[in-house]
Amino acid sequence: MTVSMAQIAERDRPRERLDRLGPVALTDAELVALVLRSGAPGRNALELAHELLADHGGLGSLAGRGLPHLAETHAIGPAKASSLMAAFELGRRAAAVEIPSAARLRDAGDIAAVVRRSITDPGREESFVVVLNASHRVLRIEPISKGTESRCLLDAKEVLTMVLRCGGSAFALVHTHPSGDPSPSPEDLAFTRALAGAADAVGLVMLD
């Protein structure tokens, strides 16, 4: 039986948790529920948010869905779907770093300099894709995922899809090391090699 939002203890509702703890403390589902504002037949807003995230494999994949898919497949209607799309686009724009149009990235130092301002949680690994044009000038900086203190899961297909969706010709991949040791792990090296090969196969250049 579906529990209405009014039946959830007040301190446990997303809006009240946001007021009390701040947005960082909320789960992805709670944040999505706040954007949706209300549920759908048989589901409250939080249940609907959990369903959307589960069906799409997480926030990153959900953000990549188009308006018709969300409105029709999940019967949330055009208004809720539009609100979700607007929220995701605002997040992408907020994460983008403004740099002079003449700036051209050449090496890891340049990449680190433009991404530094996008880091939101120094205590957890975060990963970003720096989308570049053919001249290696930044088009935008997209957050991919946030992990634990020592691990951040990445998916090569998701990275390349994001670059192509943003109209990039090249890209750089960045992830933070909260431990303070920048040495790449064996997993980092293996993923980098695999991603570089996949990028080459679809005509993209992986700068660094």
Side-chain angles (χ1 to χ4, degrees):
M1 183 178 67
T2 298
V3 176
S4 70
M5 198 64 73
Q7 292 175 288
I8 298 175
E10 185 173 346
R11 64 177 286 107
D12 294 330
R13 298 172 195 166
R15 184 174 291 110
E16 283 69 18
R17 278 174 45 77
L18 176 68
D19 291 343
R20 190 172 75 255
L21 303 173
V24 175
L26 269 62
T27 65
D28 290 347
E30 288 174 321
L31 292 171
V32 170
L34 286 172
V35 174
L36 295 174
R37 300 187 64 182
S38 61
R43 291 155 292 178
N44 65 39
L46 193 55
E47 290 171 334
L48 180 57
H50 277 293
E51 179 183 309
L52 286 167
L53 290 167
D55 286 353
H56 291 88
L59 196 60
S61 296
L62 178 61
R65 289 295 186 178
L67 184 62
H69 173 86
L70 289 175
E72 295 172 8
T73 306
H74 293 275
I76 63 175
K80 285 185 173 65
S82 295
S83 294
L84 274 176
M85 293 299 96
F88 288 136
E89 181 58 26
L90 283 172
R92 281 190 282 266
R93 295 185 185 188
V97 176
E98 296 292 334
I99 65 171
S101 58
R104 182 176 181 180
L105 302 190
R106 296 160 296 180
D107 54 31
D110 290 344
I111 297 166
V114 300
V115 173
R116 195 178 306 276
R117 287 165 50 192
S118 297
I119 297 171
T120 61
D121 189 347
R124 297 169 66 185
E125 285 202 10
E126 293 183 276
S127 58
F128 304 87
V129 175
V130 185
V131 183
L132 309 168
N133 64 17
S135 299
H136 294 177
R137 291 183 170 85
V138 177
L139 296 177
R140 61 194 307 143
I141 295 174
E142 294 282 351
I144 309 175
S145 63
K146 182 178 291 188
T148 65
E149 293 181 359
S150 60
R151 191 179 187 192
C152 192
L153 298 178
L154 296 175
D155 180 82
K157 181 180 178 181
E158 181 181 352
V159 171
L160 299 180
T161 298
M162 187 172 290
V163 176
L164 292 169
R165 190 172 66 233
C166 294
S169 298
F171 68 98
L173 186 66
V174 177
H175 82 263
T176 60
H177 281 208
S179 66
D181 179 5
S183 303
S185 67
E187 291 81 7
D188 292 339
L189 296 174
F191 181 79
T192 300
R193 287 192 294 268
L195 181 59
D200 184 63
V202 296
L204 294 175
V205 175
M206 184 173 179
L207 178 62
D208 207 336

PDB file of all heavy atoms in Angstrom, residues 148-164:
ATOM      1  N   THR A 148      33.347   7.212  -2.884  1.00  0.00           N
ATOM      2  CA  THR A 148      33.689   7.171  -1.470  1.00  0.00           C
ATOM      3  C   THR A 148      35.006   7.900  -1.261  1.00  0.00           C
ATOM      4  O   THR A 148      35.491   8.621  -2.126  1.00  0.00           O
ATOM      5  CB  THR A 148      33.818   5.717  -1.007  1.00  0.00           C
ATOM      6  OG1 THR A 148      34.927   5.113  -1.700  1.00  0.00           O
ATOM      7  CG2 THR A 148      32.550   4.939  -1.321  1.00  0.00           C
ATOM      8  N   GLU A 149      35.624   7.691  -0.118  1.00  0.00           N
ATOM      9  CA  GLU A 149      36.912   8.302   0.148  1.00  0.00           C
ATOM     10  C   GLU A 149      38.003   7.742  -0.755  1.00  0.00           C
ATOM     11  O   GLU A 149      39.030   8.378  -0.970  1.00  0.00           O
ATOM     12  CB  GLU A 149      37.317   8.081   1.618  1.00  0.00           C
ATOM     13  CG  GLU A 149      36.432   8.813   2.612  1.00  0.00           C
ATOM     14  CD  GLU A 149      36.877   8.576   4.036  1.00  0.00           C
ATOM     15  OE1 GLU A 149      37.863   7.833   4.238  1.00  0.00           O
ATOM     16  OE2 GLU A 149      36.260   9.130   4.951  1.00  0.00           O
ATOM     17  N   SER A 150      37.806   6.541  -1.270  1.00  0.00           N
ATOM     18  CA  SER A 150      38.881   5.900  -2.033  1.00  0.00           C
ATOM     19  C   SER A 150      38.433   5.273  -3.347  1.00  0.00           C
ATOM     20  O   SER A 150      39.236   4.666  -4.032  1.00  0.00           O
ATOM     21  CB  SER A 150      39.542   4.805  -1.174  1.00  0.00           C
ATOM     22  OG  SER A 150      38.585   3.816  -0.812  1.00  0.00           O
ATOM     23  N   ARG A 151      37.174   5.442  -3.729  1.00  0.00           N
ATOM     24  CA  ARG A 151      36.709   4.781  -4.937  1.00  0.00           C
ATOM     25  C   ARG A 151      35.640   5.607  -5.633  1.00  0.00           C
ATOM     26  O   ARG A 151      34.775   6.184  -4.982  1.00  0.00           O
ATOM     27  CB  ARG A 151      36.146   3.393  -4.603  1.00  0.00           C
ATOM     28  CG  ARG A 151      35.884   2.539  -5.842  1.00  0.00           C
ATOM     29  CD  ARG A 151      35.354   1.188  -5.442  1.00  0.00           C
ATOM     30  NE  ARG A 151      35.247   0.301  -6.589  1.00  0.00           N
ATOM     31  CZ  ARG A 151      34.597  -0.854  -6.573  1.00  0.00           C
ATOM     32  NH1 ARG A 151      34.016  -1.261  -5.466  1.00  0.00           N
ATOM     33  NH2 ARG A 151      34.549  -1.605  -7.653  1.00  0.00           N
ATOM     34  N   CYS A 152      35.720   5.646  -6.949  1.00  0.00           N
ATOM     35  CA  CYS A 152      34.745   6.378  -7.735  1.00  0.00           C
ATOM     36  C   CYS A 152      34.463   5.561  -8.991  1.00  0.00           C
ATOM     37  O   CYS A 152      35.359   5.356  -9.809  1.00  0.00           O
ATOM     38  CB  CYS A 152      35.296   7.756  -8.105  1.00  0.00           C
ATOM     39  SG  CYS A 152      34.066   8.872  -8.777  1.00  0.00           S
ATOM     40  N   LEU A 153      33.251   5.060  -9.139  1.00  0.00           N
ATOM     41  CA  LEU A 153      32.924   4.188 -10.250  1.00  0.00           C
ATOM     42  C   LEU A 153      32.678   4.996 -11.522  1.00  0.00           C
ATOM     43  O   LEU A 153      31.950   5.982 -11.508  1.00  0.00           O
ATOM     44  CB  LEU A 153      31.680   3.366  -9.920  1.00  0.00           C
ATOM     45  CG  LEU A 153      31.809   2.428  -8.715  1.00  0.00           C
ATOM     46  CD1 LEU A 153      30.489   1.722  -8.462  1.00  0.00           C
ATOM     47  CD2 LEU A 153      32.924   1.413  -8.936  1.00  0.00           C
ATOM     48  N   LEU A 154      33.294   4.549 -12.628  1.00  0.00           N
ATOM     49  CA  LEU A 154      33.143   5.226 -13.897  1.00  0.00           C
ATOM     50  C   LEU A 154      32.701   4.229 -14.953  1.00  0.00           C
ATOM     51  O   LEU A 154      32.995   3.038 -14.868  1.00  0.00           O
ATOM     52  CB  LEU A 154      34.461   5.874 -14.323  1.00  0.00           C
ATOM     53  CG  LEU A 154      35.012   6.988 -13.434  1.00  0.00           C
ATOM     54  CD1 LEU A 154      36.373   7.425 -13.929  1.00  0.00           C
ATOM     55  CD2 LEU A 154      34.060   8.170 -13.410  1.00  0.00           C
ATOM     56  N   ASP A 155      32.035   4.734 -15.970  1.00  0.00           N
ATOM     57  CA  ASP A 155      31.582   3.896 -17.069  1.00  0.00           C
ATOM     58  C   ASP A 155      32.021   4.552 -18.374  1.00  0.00           C
ATOM     59  O   ASP A 155      31.672   5.702 -18.643  1.00  0.00           O
ATOM     60  CB  ASP A 155      30.059   3.764 -17.022  1.00  0.00           C
ATOM     61  CG  ASP A 155      29.531   2.906 -18.153  1.00  0.00           C
ATOM     62  OD1 ASP A 155      29.556   1.678 -18.037  1.00  0.00           O
ATOM     63  OD2 ASP A 155      29.117   3.499 -19.178  1.00  0.00           O
ATOM     64  N   ALA A 156      32.794   3.813 -19.192  1.00  0.00           N
ATOM     65  CA  ALA A 156      33.349   4.385 -20.417  1.00  0.00           C
ATOM     66  C   ALA A 156      32.252   4.858 -21.366  1.00  0.00           C
ATOM     67  O   ALA A 156      32.363   5.925 -21.981  1.00  0.00           O
ATOM     68  CB  ALA A 156      34.240   3.350 -21.102  1.00  0.00           C
ATOM     69  N   LYS A 157      31.188   4.081 -21.490  1.00  0.00           N
ATOM     70  CA  LYS A 157      30.099   4.458 -22.389  1.00  0.00           C
ATOM     71  C   LYS A 157      29.467   5.772 -21.954  1.00  0.00           C
ATOM     72  O   LYS A 157      29.156   6.636 -22.784  1.00  0.00           O
ATOM     73  CB  LYS A 157      29.054   3.347 -22.429  1.00  0.00           C
ATOM     74  CG  LYS A 157      27.886   3.640 -23.364  1.00  0.00           C
ATOM     75  CD  LYS A 157      26.885   2.490 -23.357  1.00  0.00           C
ATOM     76  CE  LYS A 157      25.694   2.803 -24.265  1.00  0.00           C
ATOM     77  NZ  LYS A 157      24.696   1.700 -24.240  1.00  0.00           N
ATOM     78  N   GLU A 158      29.275   5.933 -20.639  1.00  0.00           N
ATOM     79  CA  GLU A 158      28.675   7.161 -20.125  1.00  0.00           C
ATOM     80  C   GLU A 158      29.560   8.371 -20.425  1.00  0.00           C
ATOM     81  O   GLU A 158      29.074   9.436 -20.801  1.00  0.00           O
ATOM     82  CB  GLU A 158      28.447   7.036 -18.619  1.00  0.00           C
ATOM     83  CG  GLU A 158      27.798   8.260 -17.993  1.00  0.00           C
ATOM     84  CD  GLU A 158      27.612   8.124 -16.492  1.00  0.00           C
ATOM     85  OE1 GLU A 158      27.848   7.018 -15.970  1.00  0.00           O
ATOM     86  OE2 GLU A 158      27.244   9.122 -15.864  1.00  0.00           O
ATOM     87  N   VAL A 159      30.872   8.195 -20.266  1.00  0.00           N
ATOM     88  CA  VAL A 159      31.812   9.287 -20.531  1.00  0.00           C
ATOM     89  C   VAL A 159      31.732   9.717 -21.990  1.00  0.00           C
ATOM     90  O   VAL A 159      31.597  10.904 -22.311  1.00  0.00           O
ATOM     91  CB  VAL A 159      33.251   8.856 -20.184  1.00  0.00           C
ATOM     92  CG1 VAL A 159      34.252   9.913 -20.664  1.00  0.00           C
ATOM     93  CG2 VAL A 159      33.401   8.637 -18.685  1.00  0.00           C
ATOM     94  N   LEU A 160      31.823   8.758 -22.905  1.00  0.00           N
ATOM     95  CA  LEU A 160      31.830   9.088 -24.330  1.00  0.00           C
ATOM     96  C   LEU A 160      30.485   9.654 -24.784  1.00  0.00           C
ATOM     97  O   LEU A 160      30.436  10.578 -25.601  1.00  0.00           O
ATOM     98  CB  LEU A 160      32.190   7.849 -25.146  1.00  0.00           C
ATOM     99  CG  LEU A 160      33.574   7.250 -24.860  1.00  0.00           C
ATOM    100  CD1 LEU A 160      33.816   6.034 -25.733  1.00  0.00           C
ATOM    101  CD2 LEU A 160      34.672   8.287 -25.067  1.00  0.00           C
ATOM    102  N   THR A 161      29.401   9.123 -24.244  1.00  0.00           N
ATOM    103  CA  THR A 161      28.077   9.642 -24.582  1.00  0.00           C
ATOM    104  C   THR A 161      27.951  11.101 -24.166  1.00  0.00           C
ATOM    105  O   THR A 161      27.395  11.932 -24.893  1.00  0.00           O
ATOM    106  CB  THR A 161      26.977   8.808 -23.893  1.00  0.00           C
ATOM    107  OG1 THR A 161      27.044   7.463 -24.372  1.00  0.00           O
ATOM    108  CG2 THR A 161      25.596   9.371 -24.188  1.00  0.00           C
ATOM    109  N   MET A 162      28.485  11.430 -22.999  1.00  0.00           N
ATOM    110  CA  MET A 162      28.423  12.803 -22.521  1.00  0.00           C
ATOM    111  C   MET A 162      29.199  13.747 -23.431  1.00  0.00           C
ATOM    112  O   MET A 162      28.739  14.846 -23.753  1.00  0.00           O
ATOM    113  CB  MET A 162      28.965  12.871 -21.086  1.00  0.00           C
ATOM    114  CG  MET A 162      28.787  14.211 -20.420  1.00  0.00           C
ATOM    115  SD  MET A 162      29.244  14.138 -18.665  1.00  0.00           S
ATOM    116  CE  MET A 162      27.913  13.138 -18.006  1.00  0.00           C
ATOM    117  N   VAL A 163      30.396  13.333 -23.862  1.00  0.00           N
ATOM    118  CA  VAL A 163      31.213  14.165 -24.747  1.00  0.00           C
ATOM    119  C   VAL A 163      30.481  14.402 -26.065  1.00  0.00           C
ATOM    120  O   VAL A 163      30.409  15.544 -26.554  1.00  0.00           O
ATOM    121  CB  VAL A 163      32.583  13.508 -25.010  1.00  0.00           C
ATOM    122  CG1 VAL A 163      33.382  14.345 -26.008  1.00  0.00           C
ATOM    123  CG2 VAL A 163      33.365  13.364 -23.701  1.00  0.00           C
ATOM    124  N   LEU A 164      29.931  13.358 -26.639  1.00  0.00           N
ATOM    125  CA  LEU A 164      29.227  13.484 -27.917  1.00  0.00           C
ATOM    126  C   LEU A 164      27.968  14.334 -27.770  1.00  0.00           C
ATOM    127  O   LEU A 164      27.652  15.144 -28.647  1.00  0.00           O
ATOM    128  CB  LEU A 164      28.870  12.094 -28.447  1.00  0.00           C
ATOM    129  CG  LEU A 164      30.070  11.224 -28.878  1.00  0.00           C
ATOM    130  CD1 LEU A 164      29.616   9.797 -29.126  1.00  0.00           C
ATOM    131  CD2 LEU A 164      30.744  11.809 -30.109  1.00  0.00           C
TER     132      LEU A 164
END
